[in-house]
Amino acid sequence: MFIRQTKTRSSSVGGSYFTHRIVESRRVGKKVSQHTLLNLGSNFELPKEAWPELCTRIEQILNSEDPLFSPDATIERTAQHIYSQIIARKGELQAPDNNEDQDFQEVDVNSIRQVKPRSVGAEHVSLEALKELRIPQILEEAGFNGRQRAEALANIIGRMCAPRSELGTAHWLKERSALGELLKHDFTQMPVMQLYRASDRLLKKKNLIEEKIFEQVQDIFGFTPTVTLYDLTNTYMEGQASQNPKAKRGRSKEKRKDCPLITLGLTLDASGFIRHSEVFEGNVTEGETLKEMLLQLKAPDGALIIMDAGIASKENLEWLIANKFNYLVVSRERKRDIDMGQASVIESAGGNPIHIQRQDGEYEGEIKLACWSEQRALKDQGINESFREKYEQELKKISDGLHKPRFTKKRDVINQRIGRLKEKCKRVSAHYRIDMEVDEATGLVTRLSWEYQPQANSKQTHPGVYKLRTTLTHWDDETLWRTYTMLTDLESVFRSLKSELGMRPVYHHAEGRCDGHLFITVLAYQAVQVIRRKLKDHAMNESWGSLREKLASQYRITATFKQRDGKTLHVRQATRPEEELGKIYSKLGISPDPGGVQKMTI
């Protein structure tokens, strides 16, 4: 075996260049012929003096022999890469478990070696979901060539299977994953910059991709989009992100006040699939974004918009009415009254009673629903008691300090401390009356007392009560309440994006790269939702994190055997799926043997 370097002229570039091939000499009768095992291309950069050692190492791997001395790291890495390419390109692809085409070989069982294990289960399921969404075809329509499609798909599948930065994804593709075998693309020599550029290309075609995916979702699951759920979440960024004008300090939902934020807005259908996404500044208020998102969606007249209290401002509701949208929102009002005698009773999915009373709305053609459940009341009571306990503990600290030396007792200072405490404990502070006794001669506070006086029709007096408001006056109470519960599905979307699909934190600094990071996460979620929706039809309701754990049990491995005739047989295939994984494959209707079987005899 040797490396042949050939000088080639190119009319297109008007010059010449060198190409490289791995060549093997074979004796057939009295003649010796040379066969090309693998074309190495023109970018083979290993120094010429290292070629003999490289060829020796490749022969050792092909013949399942251990080296006498540890080879140079670069030579070992290159040899393993070339070996993988030889098996992938020269190996004969065969269907698995085909008893009609059995292949018996006499081998030395003591010579068996298993090499190059690469994860394939999660990658296989993820790729099939992307194919079902027609994302490879959508990318082709968007102008992506073969290499660019493979890199874009690798970005999305990497986010699904092993969420991390582009640098981490590149390492995963090269060292741990068999995704390249499924895509028929070699990632081992890919510069990490290619993944960044793939992100840029995806973001550039964002609107087209989102529109086409949602059209395909409707075809797959056969639904008509009638409901739009809208909400925002934010994610924090590592570093100062000075190159991103959207990176702003704000209220972090992960309590990362030390980091700049960016905000992701999503509109979803009742099916749980994302219709449109948009990235906003990190300090944007929720109510400011609704008009922009709905105008971009071109939602039809009469479409139902569901959103929480943070977005349901007076201005937004009036805008929805003026633009002929229907809405079902969580009311911002603090009044928590309900007349249980006039309430209807329905059952939740868990069999718990929900009491609902219709009330007059603030606008013409609007009604309110006052809702109460025992479970929510118990939860609110627990929260209320916890906040009251903490508030009274802090008041007691101030009171006890009045009787200690070197403790400030000036009225202005005590008032400031109480004011800061009220601001910190807004949930309960309004329900307390605080009295101070002051020595008029010295101006010092001598005694502090407080009394719990809950305000009427509040969370303190009516735990478990919440209100909805809607323009759908002709819908019955049960339908309205069950439609409102779709907001909990939206919350699960954000949990999946953040915890399961690596949306946080963002390590990029440039605006486009940050937006691309979030868009890749959105695309990964769409594929995960396809998988979960199909499994849900078979009563399998596991989270993606749990499914991914089961899928990770399957690998592709190359087994090598010494034959009696001195040749070495190489067989590369996926391990047989465990029982739980086999059930997932069966329910999804996909092959349990990703990548097929490749055989080659050297």
Side-chain angles (χ1 to χ4, degrees):
M1 179 182 295
F2 60 94
I3 296 176
R4 173 174 289 164
Q5 179 177 279
T6 305
K7 189 174 183 179
T8 305
R9 289 193 172 276
S10 172
S11 57
S12 60
V13 298
S16 60
Y17 61 92
F18 289 99
T19 61
H20 305 82
R21 292 181 291 164
I22 293 281
V23 178
E24 180 185 47
S25 298
R26 297 179 184 173
R27 178 175 291 277
V28 181
K30 295 183 179 181
K31 296 182 179 179
V32 175
S33 59
Q34 294 178 349
H35 297 266
T36 298
L37 287 177
L38 186 70
N39 287 313
L40 301 176
S42 58
N43 296 319
F44 184 65
E45 298 178 352
L46 194 70
K48 195 167 187 178
E49 57 269 19
W51 291 0
E53 186 179 351
L54 173 65
C55 292
T56 299
R57 182 61 189 130
I58 294 171
E59 287 183 321
Q60 289 173 341
I61 297 172
L62 287 171
N63 291 308
S64 192
E65 296 175 354
D66 295 325
L68 186 60
F69 303 103
S70 296
D72 175 79
T74 302
I75 289 176
E76 178 66 18
R77 185 168 58 251
T78 307
Q80 292 289 349
H81 168 65
I82 291 175
Y83 167 69
S84 300
Q85 296 299 101
I86 291 173
I87 296 297
R89 298 182 183 184
K90 299 297 183 181
E92 180 185 358
L93 188 63
Q94 298 184 357
D97 298 329
N98 187 351
N99 293 326
E100 295 179 0
D101 188 21
Q102 295 176 335
D103 184 9
F104 294 101
Q105 301 287 343
E106 190 175 11
V107 300
D108 176 9
V109 294
N110 293 322
S111 70
I112 296 176
R113 299 286 186 274
Q114 293 180 318
V115 298
K116 206 171 179 60
R118 296 291 184 268
S119 64
V120 73
E123 292 90 331
H124 179 43
V125 169
S126 300
L127 179 58
E128 291 302 313
L130 293 179
K131 287 179 178 178
E132 192 148 9
L133 288 171
R134 294 189 69 254
I135 289 182
Q137 291 92 326
I138 292 171
L139 295 179
E140 186 174 6
E141 292 171 19
F144 287 57
N145 62 34
R147 176 183 61 79
Q148 293 169 346
R149 288 197 299 274
E151 290 163 354
L153 293 172
N155 257 337
I156 301 168
I157 295 173
R159 191 63 52 84
M160 295 171 69
C161 301
R164 59 197 69 198
S165 66
E166 274 80 356
L167 183 62
T169 298
H171 176 77
W172 173 76
L173 287 168
K174 295 175 182 180
E175 305 293 337
R176 295 180 51 197
S177 175
L179 180 60
E181 297 180 55
L182 301 183
L183 292 174
K184 302 296 188 290
H185 185 82
D186 179 19
F187 290 110
T188 58
Q189 303 299 313
M190 176 193 67
V192 67
M193 183 53 68
Q194 294 299 104
L195 292 181
Y196 291 112
R197 289 170 180 161
S199 171
D200 297 341
R201 293 186 194 99
L202 286 169
L203 185 63
K204 189 175 181 181
K205 300 292 183 178
K206 172 179 170 294
N207 291 335
L208 171 66
I209 293 171
E210 284 187 332
E211 181 182 342
K212 293 289 186 181
I213 287 177
F214 195 70
E215 288 176 2
Q216 182 63 13
V217 165
Q218 293 175 66
D219 291 339
I220 295 172
F221 296 102
F223 66 82
T224 301
T226 56
V227 177
T228 297
L229 296 95
Y230 179 60
D231 205 355
L232 302 176
T233 190
N234 57 38
T235 184
Y236 64 93
M237 308 177 69
E238 294 290 357
Q240 296 302 310
S242 56
Q243 301 175 43
N244 188 350
K246 293 176 184 171
K248 304 288 185 182
R249 304 276 176 173
R251 180 178 172 273
S252 170
K253 297 189 177 182
E254 290 91 36
K255 312 300 182 186
R256 290 299 302 268
K257 297 179 181 179
D258 58 320
C259 300
L261 311 171
I262 51 175
T263 300
L264 175 66
L266 295 179
T267 53
L268 295 90
D269 188 78
S271 61
F273 287 95
I274 296 170
R275 299 181 65 183
H276 183 65
S277 65
E278 197 70 36
V279 181
F280 301 101
E281 293 181 349
N283 61 353
V284 69
T285 58
E286 294 180 319
E288 296 175 354
T289 60
L290 178 67
K291 300 175 187 178
E292 179 181 341
M293 292 289 278
L294 292 183
L295 289 173
Q296 289 184 21
L297 272 182
K298 299 179 181 177
D301 290 349
L304 173 59
I305 313 300
I306 304 176
M307 52 195 176
D308 69 10
I311 307 171
S313 65
K314 179 181 178 181
E315 294 78 11
N316 276 341
L317 295 184
E318 290 176 349
W319 184 85
L320 289 172
I321 292 171
N323 287 272
K324 300 180 181 179
F325 288 108
N326 286 305
Y327 58 79
L328 175 58
V329 303
V330 182
S331 176
R332 284 185 167 191
E333 71 175 280
R334 296 181 180 277
K335 193 176 180 181
R336 304 286 173 172
D337 62 308
I338 184 171
D339 186 344
M340 300 294 279
Q342 297 185 15
S344 61
V345 182
I346 66 172
E347 279 193 2
S348 68
N352 300 305
I354 310 293
H355 298 257
I356 302 175
Q357 181 205 1
R358 289 200 173 206
Q359 300 176 350
D360 293 334
E362 294 181 21
Y363 302 119
E364 183 180 352
E366 179 196 68
I367 59 170
K368 294 180 182 177
L369 298 179
C371 309
W372 179 89
S373 69
E374 184 177 6
Q375 279 191 323
R376 183 154 181 161
L378 292 172
K379 178 182 177 181
D380 284 354
Q381 285 173 356
I383 294 173
N384 290 340
E385 289 173 6
S386 175
F387 275 93
R388 283 183 55 196
E389 182 180 347
K390 291 178 182 178
Y391 186 63
E392 291 185 9
Q393 283 176 354
E394 293 300 318
L395 287 174
K396 190 173 185 304
K397 287 181 182 179
I398 299 174
S399 176
D400 291 345
L402 298 176
H403 308 289
K404 297 177 180 179
R406 295 186 298 277
F407 187 90
T408 302
K409 303 172 181 66
K410 293 181 180 180
R411 176 166 45 189
D412 291 345
V413 176
I414 297 299
N415 275 328
Q416 287 176 3
R417 290 192 63 184
I418 293 174
R420 286 195 296 268
L421 180 59
K422 285 183 175 181
E423 183 67 21
K424 183 180 178 181
C425 302
K426 287 182 178 179
R427 186 184 182 99
V428 295
S429 61
H431 303 281
Y432 279 83
R433 175 183 171 180
I434 300 175
D435 294 314
M436 287 190 300
E437 292 182 11
V438 182
D439 186 334
E440 295 299 332
T442 62
L444 300 179
V445 178
T446 59
R447 184 172 178 272
L448 188 70
S449 62
W450 56 88
E451 183 182 359
Y452 177 56
Q453 297 179 343
Q455 297 179 4
N457 297 322
S458 66
K459 282 187 177 181
Q460 300 294 318
T461 59
H462 288 72
V465 176
Y466 54 96
K467 289 192 177 183
L468 312 176
R469 54 195 300 186
T470 182
T471 53
L472 297 171
T473 57
H474 59 287
W475 283 21
D476 61 74
D477 295 351
E478 181 171 0
T479 303
L480 287 169
W481 184 82
R482 296 198 185 284
T483 305
Y484 151 73
T485 59
M486 291 178 184
L487 275 176
T488 59
D489 295 333
L490 185 54
E491 292 171 1
S492 70
V493 170
F494 285 132
R495 283 197 299 273
S496 179
L497 288 169
K498 290 180 181 180
S499 60
E500 295 181 329
L501 297 174
M503 188 178 85
R504 65 180 181 191
V506 180
Y507 293 99
H508 302 290
H509 297 280
E511 179 180 3
R513 291 282 159 79
C514 294
D515 291 0
H517 173 85
L518 267 60
F519 183 49
I520 289 170
T521 310
V522 166
L523 293 176
Y525 168 79
Q526 299 280 62
V528 167
Q529 185 68 356
V530 167
I531 297 166
R532 294 195 63 208
R533 277 293 299 265
K534 294 183 74 173
L535 291 176
K536 191 174 183 179
D537 293 340
H538 296 277
M540 186 177 284
N541 297 300
E542 295 183 63
S543 68
W544 174 242
S546 176
L547 289 170
R548 186 168 56 197
E549 207 170 293
K550 294 177 179 178
L551 295 169
S553 65
Q554 190 175 34
Y555 283 74
R556 278 185 67 81
I557 295 177
T558 298
T560 66
F561 311 83
K562 278 287 189 180
Q563 299 182 159
R564 180 178 288 278
D565 59 7
K567 295 181 179 179
T568 304
L569 173 64
H570 302 262
V571 181
R572 184 159 183 81
Q573 66 181 132
T575 57
R576 187 176 295 275
E578 300 287 341
E579 182 179 358
E580 287 297 316
L581 177 54
K583 290 179 182 178
I584 294 173
Y585 282 152
S586 176
K587 288 175 171 56
L588 293 175
I590 61 179
S591 167
D593 188 69
V597 182
Q598 290 171 308
K599 298 179 182 179
M600 186 177 69
T601 303
I602 299 293

